[in-house]
Amino acid sequence: MASKADKQHVETLAAEQQNIGDQPKGVDWTVIALTCQCKDSIYAFQRELEIRQHKGSIAPGVVLLTVEDPETCVGSGGATLNALLVAAEHLSAKAGYTVVTSDVLQTARILILHMGRDFPFDDCGRSFTCLPMENPDSKAEALVCNIDVLLHIMTYKLGPGCTPGVWVCSTDMILTVPSYPDICWEGFSGVKVVSVPGTVSYARDHGVYLIDQEGYVCDIIYKGTEERIKECALQDGRVPLVSGIVFFSWETAEKLLATHVTSPLDSCTYMGLDSGTRPVQLSIFFDILLCMARHTCEDVFVNRANKILQSSDITKPTRADSSDMAIMRSARAVLWQELRGIPVTMAYIADGCYDYMTLSADDHIRNLTRRGSMSSCFVVHHIVHSELTHPAMLNEDCSVINSLLDGEITVGPNSVVQHCHLQGSIHISSGCLLSGVDLMSSAVLCQYQLCDIIIQGHHIRLRDLKLKIFSITGRQDDLQVPFTSDSSTFLNVPWAEFFERTGIKKEEVWGPGILEEEQCLLNAQLFPVFHVTEPIGMEDVLWFLGLEKGRFLRKWQSAWRLSIREVLSCLDQQAELVWRQQLFLSQAQRKVQTTLLARKDTSLWPLIRAAVCEGNEQQILNTLDAVATATVDLGIAARTLACVADVLGCMAGGQGGLRSGPAANPAWIDAFQLLEKGNVVLGVKRLTEERGKWLSRPDLLVRAARHYEGAEQILIRRAVMSAREFISMGQVELPPMNQWVVAECPARIDISGGWSDTPPITYEHGGAVLDIAVLVDKRKPIGAKVRRIAEPKLHLVLNSGGREQRMAMEIVCQSLEDLQDYCQPRAPGALLKAAFICTEIIHYPSHVSLRDQLMTGFGGGFELHTWSSLPHGSGLGTSSILAGAVMAALITAAGKSSDTSSLIHAVLHLEQMLTTGGGWQDQVGGLVPGIKIGRSKPQLPLRVDVERIAVTDEFVKTLNDHLLLVYTGKTRLARNLLQDVLRNWYARLPSIVENADALVRNTEECAQAFIKGFGELQCP
């Protein structure tokens, strides 16, 4: 047993020692290198790294390298040395050197990730095995792979604060680190291994560290006896597992790099391969690290030179000859000479967890269906990045990842569906794994009841021939157990039962070239790949389950077949990644459609960023165009156009200028006019046509985005104009000529809920605002007066101060042309002109002249005076309340009548005509006396209901005694603020949706508090 002194000397890091609420600053990586066995997959995996960098999970300045192992048998140690050499070579060239120099390591922080061996349950290997997780804080939507979790752990949990050096991390395990360990790096030099606790029974199939009283690694034990493992146990009875993570200080990394020029270690690198040397296999743990362990003796280390074959190694076993052993001894002798004496210490993550990704299908399914957090950054869900027509048919203990499920598809507990497009009535019971099943192939599944079955679609490449084939195995099958063993099964039944059920013979599965003691499921040639006369499909393996034996047996016997091991050696990983990306795009397009058409409060920003980062922006744009032309809901169409603007802005990549700007380029006018007339379908098509001319440069993209926001504003205005339905006016007697009609209004202050009344929030989310009508200096500061005059003209007088001020602007409108600027809010008298049109005193545009309209309808013209003693842009609702006062006076002066509700909706309509795009809280606050709450439901047409809050006179007095108006001198036009608010709302970021919820909720609570009188406002 390790002594009690271990507690002082072993770096033990547990969650309770950490403040896990704050994520520390991550490591500023210099290089991230991913090692890969297959040269044909280098570019595909390099693109995967680059996409992650574009999406923000890897910092923009990091050098990304995907490094091909020189040979498939160089091992983790050889792959580390080769990757270190390639990284140093890149950094040397970047620093201006003409040869590789280790000096570049002195300031570098390098992360080497090993993809490792082929994995039979995921064609992209353990690194890119997709997990049932999402990162809610990610700026761009993405599948979460095992490598993403490890990158986050390395960057934010294990790496922060480290000295310059090289981290090496295996990706063949699922690692859980809940806390943010505070690893001590002060004055560190040497090697630090990361360990997590494990049980003695679990450690029997894995590696463990033996440490001494000073906390140094003395030995690394792999698959040791129970007694030997127990010697490694710490005080808590658990043993420190080899987690696959090692840190080399820059001094140690320099020494390791120096060995690449020394025979036979030079054969571990691409330089050795190019020089024609024979490759040597090295383990990072049992060769490189073991020579530094304190209890390792030189003679045993150098001369035993045995290859450690891990249980996950599915490559065809080779027998080492005497020359291989001699090379291995020579390699270990070099390692001993160069690295011996370097201290190896351990960082023990007490709350960490390690799960090696074994060759057991049962273990793999358990990894993909288990719940609980692996890292604070990621959230586990049983459905991730998938679209389903019947989600209720899924058991909550299953996992569906990156898939489309159309139809009545049931998925039982502890089953996984990933990277599939299924359609029809399909029953998947418990314990199944379906991966890579395409739409066409899924039809045959309707005939089967699947239970404890693994079905995988594989993209393979046979020279220039690209094929999609299928394999099928059982959840309980052991891939490596010999056929002669009593425990050997296929499809969860003994081989004899399988042969009897299908008519297949043993000699048809294993040819004479495979020795009987080596025959196992892994090398059984069961899976058809090619047939001379008939296509190969999923039905050619499903018949193994017992249907239609005769026809399929003959076809199987005459087909060219491969074993699982052979399939894995022929994988086309680039094609597999493309398939996954296509599915991810397809589900994203469906998500766009359902989110918009169902008016969900789900942000599409992460999805938009993802599409742009992956080069799929055109497909998303096409989807948005289709939604905009298909819907009859103006609110949905407006949000869709806002999403198009976001795509264009994202495509600009932060270049090309600000998103806010003018949007009246003549090239877009035709489309705008169609939208203004209500022809949304043709208008969107014209927008699409014009957009195609603006995609070549960032500045054009930004300008196009502005025009899409302009189009969105048109549709918002048309949606809000639906409030016209709630405007009703009666006919009464015209007042006498020259008799003034006066309307004066208070200002308003909003107590709670402001912005929830703003379109489109008010009709998409619903709004509630609590307002109070207030006098300023004991007077109503806003007003209008109007009278009929004999001359057929409109005489407009705008007083810049209060009612008695003599400073005024006078405008005379004698023709309809004088009204044409009514929709330009900055034009003189625009609000007054719009009021005449909104109240239908004047019809514009019209073939009837202004003179004729006035004489026919009213026997003359109108003289209209307006005033406000409040500064422009004071934030007290001046413009909207003034619009209400103007229309109230005009309606009466024109011989019409209306109620306050109609007036509130009329102001909404007017502000859309004026293109200021305001909400309804100002007119509610100023046109309805006292304290009141206005509400709107999430629907069109937009209707505002007002409820007055009854309070006591004492409450009003107390409130008045505590109100003070302070003018800061700063002004703002609501329209300038509105654009930013709308952009944030249409993005549906969780924070803005939560804010809108809180606004409405707080308003209702505030109204109740006013009704109760705040305890009669017990203020000093």
Side-chain angles (χ1 to χ4, degrees), residues 374-513:
M374 291 172 56
S375 176
S376 55
C377 180
F378 303 100
V379 178
V380 177
H381 299 289
H382 77 291
I383 302 174
V384 292
H385 303 297
S386 300
E387 289 293 309
L388 298 77
T389 57
H390 295 76
M393 300 184 73
L394 271 61
N395 187 280
E396 62 181 13
D397 292 324
C398 75
S399 291
V400 178
I401 307 167
N402 192 37
S403 296
L404 297 172
L405 273 59
D406 300 327
E408 296 181 351
I409 300 172
T410 61
V411 182
N414 304 312
S415 283
V416 180
V417 177
Q418 61 178 9
H419 316 305
C420 293
H421 188 173
L422 307 181
Q423 187 178 68
S425 179
I426 300 173
H427 182 76
I428 303 167
S429 189
S430 62
C432 294
L433 168 64
L434 269 67
S435 180
V437 179
D438 58 274
L439 178 63
M440 185 176 298
S441 302
S442 70
V444 70
L445 290 174
C446 298
Q447 306 172 36
Y448 295 86
Q449 296 283 325
L450 302 177
C451 182
D452 292 338
I453 294 297
I454 316 297
I455 299 174
Q456 294 174 269
H458 307 276
H459 292 89
I460 66 170
R461 188 170 188 167
L462 304 173
R463 294 188 178 179
D464 295 330
L465 183 62
K466 294 185 177 183
L467 300 170
K468 177 74 177 282
I469 66 164
F470 291 90
S471 65
I472 184 170
T473 54
R475 182 171 66 93
Q476 302 298 340
D477 295 342
D478 188 321
L479 299 178
Q480 294 178 300
V481 68
F483 166 76
T484 53
S485 170
D486 292 340
S487 62
S488 181
T489 62
F490 178 47
L491 297 176
N492 306 312
V493 299
W495 281 99
E497 183 177 333
F498 168 74
F499 291 144
E500 181 180 357
R501 182 170 69 195
T502 60
I504 293 174
K505 299 177 181 178
K506 174 178 174 291
E507 53 269 24
E508 293 176 313
V509 174
W510 293 283

Side-chain angles (χ1 to χ4, degrees), residues 676 717 721 794 796 811 813 815-839 842-846 909-916 975:
E676 291 279 13
R717 290 200 300 272
M721 283 181 176
L794 304 180
L796 312 178
I811 302 169
C813 301
S815 68
L816 290 178
E817 286 72 21
D818 295 329
L819 298 174
Q820 63 183 0
D821 59 354
Y822 77 92
C823 59
Q824 300 174 23
R826 295 181 184 275
L831 186 150
L832 279 62
K833 296 174 184 179
F836 276 101
I837 297 171
C838 185
T839 54
I842 300 299
H843 296 280
Y844 181 90
S846 174
H909 188 264
L910 180 144
E911 290 188 329
Q912 304 315 307
M913 294 172 57
L914 200 59
T915 71
T916 52
R975 187 180 183 185

Side-chain angles (χ1 to χ4, degrees), residues 520-642:
C520 61
L521 178 53
L522 192 61
N523 56 28
Q525 292 182 323
L526 286 161
F527 308 110
V529 173
F530 184 77
H531 193 276
V532 176
T533 59
E534 298 182 65
I536 295 294
M538 190 162 58
E539 63 273 12
D540 293 300
V541 296
L542 283 174
W543 76 275
F544 292 165
L545 297 175
L547 294 181
E548 301 186 54
K549 168 180 173 181
R551 181 172 69 88
F552 282 106
L553 175 60
R554 291 188 295 273
K555 183 180 178 182
W556 182 88
Q557 290 171 330
S558 57
W560 182 23
R561 304 183 303 277
L562 295 178
S563 66
I564 292 175
R565 176 180 285 154
E566 291 167 330
V567 168
L568 294 176
S569 69
C570 301
L571 289 176
D572 187 344
Q573 292 175 314
Q574 181 174 2
E576 175 61 26
L577 287 170
V578 168
W579 163 248
R580 296 182 183 187
Q581 290 159 4
Q582 288 173 344
L583 272 176
F584 184 77
L585 174 61
S586 295
Q587 66 84 26
Q589 289 174 295
R590 289 202 188 180
K591 184 176 180 180
V592 167
Q593 291 175 326
T594 56
T595 297
L596 294 174
L597 294 175
R599 299 175 64 169
K600 295 181 180 179
D601 286 335
T602 302
S603 176
L604 294 178
W605 246 116
L607 190 150
I608 287 171
R609 289 193 186 100
V612 173
C613 289
E614 295 180 8
N616 295 323
E617 59 273 3
Q618 191 56 57
Q619 291 89 326
I620 294 296
L621 286 172
N622 293 342
T623 302
L624 292 170
D625 292 340
V627 172
T629 55
T631 184
V632 295
D633 187 309
L634 291 174
I636 292 174
R639 182 183 176 187
T640 303
L641 295 187

Side-chain angles (χ1 to χ4, degrees), residues 564-772:
I564 292 175
R565 176 180 285 154
E566 291 167 330
V567 168
L568 294 176
S569 69
C570 301
L571 289 176
D572 187 344
Q573 292 175 314
Q574 181 174 2
E576 175 61 26
L577 287 170
V578 168
W579 163 248
R580 296 182 183 187
Q581 290 159 4
Q582 288 173 344
L583 272 176
F584 184 77
L585 174 61
S586 295
Q587 66 84 26
Q589 289 174 295
R590 289 202 188 180
K591 184 176 180 180
V592 167
Q593 291 175 326
T594 56
T595 297
L596 294 174
L597 294 175
R599 299 175 64 169
K600 295 181 180 179
D601 286 335
T602 302
S603 176
L604 294 178
W605 246 116
L607 190 150
I608 287 171
R609 289 193 186 100
V612 173
C613 289
E614 295 180 8
N616 295 323
E617 59 273 3
Q618 191 56 57
Q619 291 89 326
I620 294 296
L621 286 172
N622 293 342
T623 302
L624 292 170
D625 292 340
V627 172
T629 55
T631 184
V632 295
D633 187 309
L634 291 174
I636 292 174
R639 182 183 176 187
T640 303
L641 295 187
C643 290
V644 173
D646 285 341
V647 175
L648 297 173
C650 192
M651 290 170 64
Q655 303 177 35
L658 297 174
R659 280 284 299 274
S660 298
N665 189 289
W668 299 84
I669 296 301
D670 183 35
F672 285 5
Q673 290 176 343
L674 288 166
L675 296 177
E676 291 279 13
K677 294 175 182 177
N679 194 338
V680 176
V681 173
L682 190 54
V684 170
K685 289 181 179 178
R686 292 290 169 82
L687 288 172
T688 303
E689 292 171 5
E690 188 59 33
R691 182 182 72 212
K693 306 170 187 176
W694 295 65
L695 304 179
S696 59
R697 301 196 313 263
D699 61 317
L700 294 179
L701 286 164
V702 169
R703 290 165 62 192
R706 292 172 183 168
H707 283 82
Y708 263 91
E709 288 186 338
E712 153 215 318
Q713 291 287 346
I714 294 172
L715 296 185
I716 291 175
R717 290 200 300 272
R718 290 189 59 80
V720 176
M721 283 181 176
S722 65
R724 186 182 183 89
E725 182 177 324
F726 306 109
I727 303 174
S728 61
M729 285 187 283
Q731 199 70 35
V732 297
E733 185 177 349
L734 274 171
M737 193 74 72
N738 293 316
Q739 178 176 313
W740 289 104
V741 176
V742 181
E744 291 185 293
C745 297
R748 71 97 185 100
I749 55 174
D750 74 272
I751 302 301
S752 182
W755 287 112
S756 72
D757 67 304
T758 305
I761 300 174
T762 189
Y763 62 75
E764 291 186 349
H765 176 274
V769 181
L770 184 71
D771 276 320
I772 301 179

